[in-house]
Amino acid sequence: MNIPNSITTFRIILIPVFLTVFYLPYSWAPALATFIFGFAAITDWFDGYLARKLNQQSSLGAFIDPLADKLMVISALLIIISKHPDNNWLLFSTLVIISREILISSLREW
């Protein structure tokens, strides 16, 4: 386990933290969840930079980095839908985005 893969693993661990914080019964909870999402995005850039800079690219990293990204984005989309369940355009958009992510991932693996 190298440094970039550790950062990516940490990003995966942030997903349940992000979800839990979002649903806390406090007015500041969505803002903190947004901060956590932004922090995860920064660590995504940082782990890629370190992997290239330290020459620590690995097949594990090539697999878990996009997985972490997709899990975080899908989690965010689903909690937005849960807060606005009657918004059909939002639901349709979310379904299109999630379907695209699955399709592209499948094509890359194939």
Side-chain angles (χ1 to χ4, degrees):
M1 183 70 85
N2 58 34
I3 294 170
N5 288 349
S6 298
I7 294 171
T8 300
T9 302
F10 175 71
R11 198 163 70 248
I12 292 171
I13 293 168
L14 277 179
I15 295 168
V17 174
F18 166 71
L19 293 171
T20 302
V21 166
F22 185 84
Y23 286 110
L24 289 175
Y26 303 109
S27 61
W28 48 264
L32 181 56
T34 302
F35 174 80
I36 292 170
F37 186 90
F39 180 72
I42 291 168
T43 63
D44 181 31
W45 174 85
F46 194 62
D47 73 44
Y49 173 78
L50 285 177
R52 289 183 296 278
K53 185 79 170 169
L54 302 174
N55 198 26
Q56 293 184 343
Q57 297 161 330
S58 68
S59 56
L60 176 64
F63 174 73
I64 65 172
D65 184 65
L67 178 66
D69 298 344
K70 287 169 184 26
L71 290 173
M72 181 62 91
V73 169
I74 289 170
S75 297
L77 289 169
L78 291 176
I79 62 174
I80 291 170
I81 290 284
S82 74
K83 286 292 186 176
H84 305 283
D86 296 331
N87 188 329
N88 291 332
W89 284 108
L90 189 58
L91 176 62
F92 177 75
S93 300
T94 299
L95 291 173
V96 168
I97 293 167
I98 291 172
S99 297
R100 180 211 172 268
E101 292 294 332
I102 292 170
L103 178 66
I104 296 300
S105 294
S106 299
L107 288 174
R108 284 185 182 153
E109 288 300 316
W110 181 53

